[in-house]
């Protein structure tokens, strides 16, 4: 088996892209096949080298690797040769209509109650008319003449699928400037790199019918390639996920501190009956099959994914967390705070609490109590029992208990009204730092 992931470097990868990439990688690795990365960068107006670099970085961060990689911009000669082959076979024909002329035709067809399909008027051009257009400075763009009838295949996710080619306009494969379009380049690449399986989004179903027709016209055997279309992810409201939603881009989630294993574990289970669990791609291979993916569109629930992230952090050993912690943070610190973290970067705040300087809030009406707390502070050395002995002494001295006893102390010592267990934090702070945060008499 040979599969590929083919993003366009026109923006950052989002979770929808990541799901497709992960699915292809998991199928390839499960079946002992190959996985290729192909950058569809023939759109010179929108493709950017920084996006291409970001795609590679984000995929590696997720834990994905590839057996080969190429850019479509390096294969323009191959597309030109394939286009010439289709021209010679009479399947690629030149057109000169402007977008305004096409819009006029489509509007007229709608008014007449007909589907707005291209009428193949360009096929009726005589050689003289063609030459006259060229002499007038016009450059043709090229349409593929669909064979008609229907194209059917057994989809790896959706089951039996069929596309009626007579209900589709002949697609433009080559622009007037000579640049090829995705519909064409993808077929040429899949044919020449001998891709056996294409796993992509459900929005490509109609495109698959067209591409199978092009595949056959170029001499390929449509039976040699299998397709599987994943139902598209929706957002929490049921709407389509957008490539432009920055909060769901891999790059932004990475900056925010979401762990890659939370993302991959969640995406691998999304749309299946399995409960999601954090996992690196290599750990997910055995549990993933396309036939377990539902036909309905799954909802991407950011809260559920972040819950996986919390679970991952809470179970993370110090050795795994250490490279991401502030300098000096040790295992006792990590054990004290990890149960209260949603995202790993939040550890920086708690390191400031135990090892740095903070500005505790003014706690109205608590001056006398906090001075009593200062006077009751036990001498060092401190350990896990220090907090209990201190608060018991303070309870006996002031008569306070419960929230009235603990909340003012937490606010004064940490600046927060909730957080890690102070029994664990207190020895990390040390007596001198605690004294600085309690008011003097």
């Amino acid at each position: 088996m040979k599969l590929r992931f083919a993003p366009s470097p026109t923006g950052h990868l989002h979770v929808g892209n990541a799901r497709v990439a992960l699915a292809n990688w998991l199928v390839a690795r499960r079946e002992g096949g190959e996985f290729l990365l192909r950058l569809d960068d023939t759109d010179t107006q929108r493709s950017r080298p920084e996006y291409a670099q970001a795609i590679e970085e984000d995929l590696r961060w997720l834990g994905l690797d590839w057996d080969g990689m190429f850019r479509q911009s390096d294969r323009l000669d191959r597309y030109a040769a394939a286009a010439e082959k289709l021209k010679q076979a009479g399947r690629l024909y030149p057109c000169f209509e402007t977008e305004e002329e096409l819009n006029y035709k489509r509007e007229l067809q709608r008014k007449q109650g007909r589907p707005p399909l291209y009428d193949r008027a360009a096929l009726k051009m005589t050689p003289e008319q063609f030459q006259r257009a060229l002499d007038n400075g016009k450059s043709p763009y090229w349409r593929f003449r669909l064979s008609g009838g229907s194209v059917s295949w057994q989809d790896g996710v959706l089951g039996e699928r069929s596309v009626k080619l007579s209900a589709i306009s002949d697609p433009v494969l080559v622009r007037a400037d000579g640049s090829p379009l995705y519909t064409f380049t993808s077929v040429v690449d899949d044919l020449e790199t001998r891709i056996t399986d294409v796993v992509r989004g459900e929005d490509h179903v109609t495109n698959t019918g067209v591409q199978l027709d092009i595949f056959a016209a170029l001499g390929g055997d449509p039976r040699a390639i299998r397709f599987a279309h994943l139902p598209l992810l929706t957002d929490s409201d049921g709407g389509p996920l957008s490539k432009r939603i920055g909060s769901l881009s891999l790059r932004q989630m990475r900056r925010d501190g979401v762990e890659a294993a939370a993302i991959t574990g969640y995406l691998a289970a999304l749309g299946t009956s399995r409960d999601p669990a954090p996992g690196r791609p290599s750990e997910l291979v055995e549990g993933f099959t396309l036939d377990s993916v539902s036909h309905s569109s799954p909802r991407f629930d950011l809260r559920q994914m972040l819950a996986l992230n919390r679970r991952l952090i809470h179970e993370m050993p110090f050795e795994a967390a250490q490279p991401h912690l502030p300098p000096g943070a040790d295992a006792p610190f990590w054990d004290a705070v990890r149960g209260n973290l949603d995202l790993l970067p939040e550890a920086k705040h708690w390191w400031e609490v135990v090892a740095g300087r903070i500005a505790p809030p003014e706690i109205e009406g608590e001056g006398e109590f906090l001075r009593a707390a200062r006077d009751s502070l036990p001498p060092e050395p401190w350990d896990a029992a220090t907090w209990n002995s201190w608060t018991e002494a303070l309870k006996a001295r002031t008569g306070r208990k419960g929230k009235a006893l603990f909340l003012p102390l937490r606010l004064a010592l940490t600046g927060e009204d909730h957080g890690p267990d102070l029994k664990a934090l207190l020895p990390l702070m040390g007596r001198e730092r605690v004294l600085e945060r309690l008011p003097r008499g």
Side-chain angles (χ1 to χ4, degrees):
M1 292 181 70
K2 184 181 283 190
L3 296 93
R4 46 76 167 175
F5 176 55
S8 297
T10 57
H12 292 301
L13 294 180
H14 58 80
V15 290
N17 306 132
R19 183 184 183 223
V20 171
L22 179 63
N24 277 279
W25 190 92
L26 291 174
V27 171
R29 296 298 180 244
R30 181 183 175 89
E31 301 300 328
E34 293 181 62
F35 175 72
L36 302 183
L37 174 61
R38 185 185 85 206
L39 294 179
D40 290 2
D41 61 348
T42 57
D43 185 346
T44 57
Q45 297 296 316
R46 298 172 57 225
S47 295
R48 296 285 184 272
E50 59 267 28
Y51 288 136
Q53 181 179 345
I55 286 170
E56 292 186 57
E57 291 174 354
D58 288 345
L59 291 176
R60 288 195 178 97
W61 173 69
L62 285 179
L64 304 183
D65 59 356
W66 42 91
D67 304 297
M69 173 186 169
F70 63 94
R71 292 174 169 79
Q72 288 191 328
S73 58
D74 294 332
R75 289 175 43 81
L76 297 179
D77 59 331
R78 303 303 307 149
Y79 309 135
E84 189 59 35
K85 182 176 181 178
L86 293 180
K87 291 175 186 178
Q88 295 299 322
R91 298 297 295 276
L92 201 60
Y93 61 94
C95 303
F96 290 98
E97 294 99 336
T98 65
E99 190 60 36
E100 291 76 10
E101 291 170 333
L102 293 173
N103 284 334
Y104 174 77
K105 286 184 179 183
R106 286 191 285 263
E107 188 59 35
L108 187 61
Q109 288 170 324
R110 290 190 186 96
K111 289 179 179 178
Q112 294 171 346
R114 295 185 293 143
L117 301 178
Y118 180 62
D119 59 7
R120 291 181 168 172
L123 285 172
K124 302 180 180 67
M125 276 194 305
T126 65
E128 293 76 19
Q129 289 172 320
F130 180 75
Q131 188 59 49
R132 191 180 310 124
L134 294 179
D135 293 341
N136 288 334
K138 291 186 176 181
S139 297
Y141 55 91
W142 298 80
R143 288 183 184 269
F144 176 72
R145 185 171 185 172
L146 294 168
S147 61
S150 296
V151 174
S152 301
W153 69 94
Q154 185 66 28
D155 195 273
V157 172
L158 303 177
E160 185 68 29
R161 280 295 179 269
S162 181
V163 172
K164 190 176 181 181
L165 297 179
S166 57
I168 303 172
S169 291
D170 288 345
V172 177
L173 299 192
V174 181
R175 300 181 182 92
D177 64 2
S179 60
L181 278 83
Y182 161 82
T183 306
F184 181 42
T185 57
S186 184
V187 175
V188 176
D189 290 337
D190 287 344
L191 184 60
E192 295 190 0
T193 58
R194 300 189 178 187
I195 294 298
T196 63
D197 294 78
V198 174
V199 181
R200 56 186 180 182
E202 191 177 13
D203 52 333
H204 284 286
V205 166
T206 299
N207 204 27
T208 293
V210 170
Q211 290 182 313
L212 282 171
D213 203 33
I214 300 171
F215 197 86
L218 287 172
D221 181 359
R223 296 170 298 179
I225 188 166
R226 295 178 292 267
F227 288 86
H229 293 85
L230 301 172
L232 299 182
L233 301 183
T234 64
D235 60 23
S236 57
D237 298 321
L241 284 184
S242 168
K243 187 176 185 178
R244 307 304 173 195
I245 299 178
S247 62
L248 294 182
S249 75
L250 296 185
R251 186 126 300 212
Q252 186 60 51
M253 288 195 291
R254 184 178 179 184
R255 288 194 191 105
D256 290 342
V258 179
E259 297 299 305
I263 298 173
T264 51
Y266 182 65
L267 292 178
L270 203 56
T272 74
S273 59
R274 291 182 290 109
D275 290 330
R280 301 289 287 174
S282 58
E283 301 166 340
L284 303 170
V285 171
E286 291 305 317
F288 184 84
T289 58
L290 287 175
D291 55 17
S292 67
V293 179
S294 170
H295 292 195
S296 58
S297 293
R299 294 195 177 194
F300 182 87
D301 188 336
L302 187 59
R303 291 171 298 180
Q304 189 177 20
M305 193 194 71
L306 291 177
L308 283 189
N309 196 71
R310 283 194 296 274
R311 173 177 159 188
L312 187 66
I313 291 175
H314 297 175
E315 297 172 354
M316 186 179 294
F318 171 68
E319 292 73 22
Q322 186 178 20
H324 310 286
L325 297 178
D330 55 12
F333 166 76
W334 175 243
D335 290 338
V337 304
R338 63 179 173 177
N340 283 83
L341 303 180
D342 292 329
L343 300 165
L344 202 48
E346 293 171 356
K348 181 180 179 181
H349 166 72
W350 291 109
W351 183 245
E352 285 296 314
V353 169
V354 303
R357 293 186 177 276
I358 64 169
E362 291 290 334
I363 310 174
E364 188 175 350
E366 297 292 353
E368 183 178 345
F369 170 73
L370 292 176
R371 284 189 288 273
R374 180 186 176 90
D375 295 340
S376 303
L377 202 60
E380 290 184 316
W382 284 0
D383 56 24
T386 302
W387 170 256
N388 285 338
S389 62
W390 181 32
T391 52
E392 283 298 319
L394 195 54
K395 178 180 178 181
R397 179 170 178 169
T398 64
R400 291 199 182 198
K401 60 182 179 178
K403 185 177 180 180
L405 174 67
F406 300 120
L407 182 57
L409 292 176
R410 178 173 289 279
L411 286 170
L413 298 184
T414 71
E416 305 286 351
D417 58 8
H418 64 280
D421 194 339
L422 283 169
K423 180 171 64 176
L425 291 188
L426 201 65
L428 299 176
M429 293 180 187
R431 194 171 192 275
E432 183 177 347
R433 187 169 285 104
V434 170
L435 285 172
E436 289 175 357
R437 296 175 187 178
L438 294 172
R440 295 180 181 276

